[in-house]
């Protein structure tokens, strides 16, 4: 059967550029890598549209002919956990899954970090309002889908950087303990930051774990 790795990006303006190293490293591997953008940075976002986009991508995969591993980074890890309950995936990989509780202060803090790239600025006068809209939808998504970490019933690998200043390591560890499957694994990377795949020191180590996990034969 053909192996497919579907990667879902985190929150922010980079979108699937979160995986530029993963895309490069995946060339010549024995699996097909699928990446996509959850949103287009236009004003008035709705978090359910991001979820619908991910569902649309998975519906386009032939699960009879393919062994699908689902990878989610940060917010993408939350979405991936939801999808693992809805589709017959073989394995789940969560990198710094953002299963945090988001309130007003946390939402506002994200507005300062969410920057639109040149050429991708929305046609609005009040940029801060758009940033706040995205951050609010992000918080809604996390808060609504958080229960799905307890519904994971497929083999799962959680990769967490111990120096992550966005998603505390305690969150990754808690997600691991909540996964309801005997074949689960927690891999902690000392001094690993949030952007593990983009980090010069930790990126290759993270990719090696992903590749090793995908190559393992499911018992």
């Amino acid at each position: 059967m053909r192996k497919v790795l579907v990667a879902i990006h985190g929150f922010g303006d980079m979108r699937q550029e979160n995986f530029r190293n993963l895309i490069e490293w995946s060339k010549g591997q024995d699996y097909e890598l699928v990446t996509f953008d959850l949103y287009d940075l236009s004003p008035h976002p709705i978090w359910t549209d991001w979820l619908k986009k991910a569902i649309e991508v998975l519906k386009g995969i032939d699960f009879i002919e393919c062994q699908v591993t689902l990878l989610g980074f940060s917010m993408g890890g939350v979405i991936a956990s939801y999808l693992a309950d809805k589709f017959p995936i073989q394995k789940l990989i969560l990198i710094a899954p953002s299963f945090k509780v988001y309130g007003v202060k946390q939402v506002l803090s994200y507005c300062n970090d969410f920057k639109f790239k040149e050429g991708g600025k929305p046609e609005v006068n009040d940029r801060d309002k758009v940033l706040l809209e995205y951050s609010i939808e992000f918080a809604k998504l996390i808060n609504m889908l958080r229960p799905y970490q307890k519904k994971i019933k497929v083999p799962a690998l959680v990769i967490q950087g111990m120096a992550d200043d966005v998603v505390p390591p305690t969150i990754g560890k808690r997600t691991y303990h909540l996964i309801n499957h005997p074949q689960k694994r927690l891999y902690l990377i000392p001094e690993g930051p949030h952007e593990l795949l983009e980090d010069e020191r930790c990126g290759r180590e993270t990719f090696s774990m992903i590749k090793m996990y995908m190559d393992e034969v499911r018992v």
Side-chain angles (χ1 to χ4, degrees):
M1 294 182 70
R2 186 163 56 95
K3 291 196 295 185
V4 178
L5 175 62
V6 180
I8 305 175
H9 66 76
F11 180 71
D13 62 341
M14 289 186 66
R15 297 172 290 170
Q16 63 180 305
E17 285 188 38
N18 281 150
F19 301 126
R20 55 193 171 191
N21 284 341
L22 180 62
I23 292 171
E24 181 63 30
W25 295 332
S26 295
K27 293 178 180 178
Q29 299 293 337
D30 61 345
Y31 61 83
E32 174 188 350
L33 175 65
V34 177
T35 65
F36 56 96
D37 291 335
L38 289 169
Y39 42 77
D40 60 6
L41 302 179
S42 60
H44 313 305
I46 302 175
W47 73 269
T48 52
D49 288 343
W50 309 349
L51 194 60
K52 289 176 183 177
K53 175 62 178 180
I55 292 173
E56 176 186 329
V57 170
L58 285 187
K59 282 185 175 180
I61 297 175
D62 186 347
F63 283 88
I64 296 178
E65 296 294 331
C66 300
Q67 293 180 340
V68 179
T69 296
L70 199 54
L71 182 152
F73 165 63
S74 197
M75 179 188 75
V78 178
I79 295 176
S81 298
Y82 169 83
L83 296 173
D85 185 58
K86 307 300 179 183
F87 290 87
I89 67 168
Q90 295 293 310
K91 295 178 181 179
L92 179 65
I93 301 173
L94 304 177
I95 303 177
S98 186
F99 284 107
K100 296 170 63 178
V101 177
Y102 286 92
V104 176
K105 290 184 179 180
Q106 289 80 6
V107 168
L108 293 177
S109 70
Y110 270 90
C111 291
N112 296 324
D113 298 330
F114 195 105
K115 299 177 181 178
F116 290 94
K117 291 186 177 298
E118 184 177 354
K121 296 179 180 179
E123 296 297 322
V124 295
N125 294 323
D126 190 352
R127 178 176 176 274
D128 289 340
K129 179 180 178 181
V130 177
L131 300 184
L132 180 59
E133 286 177 346
Y134 269 84
S135 298
I136 289 174
E137 294 304 306
F138 164 70
K140 287 180 182 178
L141 183 150
I142 302 299
N143 290 336
M144 291 299 294
L145 300 186
R146 192 185 311 113
Y148 282 90
Q149 62 185 317
K150 298 180 181 179
K151 296 183 179 183
I152 298 172
K153 297 179 181 179
V154 295
L157 167 66
V158 178
I159 304 176
Q160 178 69 52
M162 294 303 290
D164 192 331
D165 60 354
V166 177
V167 176
T170 53
I171 300 295
K173 292 177 182 179
R174 183 173 185 273
T175 297
Y176 164 76
H177 288 296
L178 288 175
I179 292 174
N180 188 24
H181 194 280
Q183 295 180 355
K184 60 181 180 179
R185 187 175 307 171
L186 174 64
Y187 188 74
L188 303 175
I189 300 181
E191 301 183 5
H194 185 59
E195 300 278 353
L196 282 170
L197 285 169
E198 293 299 300
D199 186 75
E200 186 175 339
R201 294 180 299 111
C202 303
R204 280 287 184 180
E205 181 180 356
T206 304
F207 176 70
S208 295
M209 280 302 303
I210 293 171
K211 183 64 169 63
M212 186 183 306
Y213 189 67
M214 288 189 65
D215 287 342
E216 290 180 354
V217 177
R218 180 177 174 181
V219 179

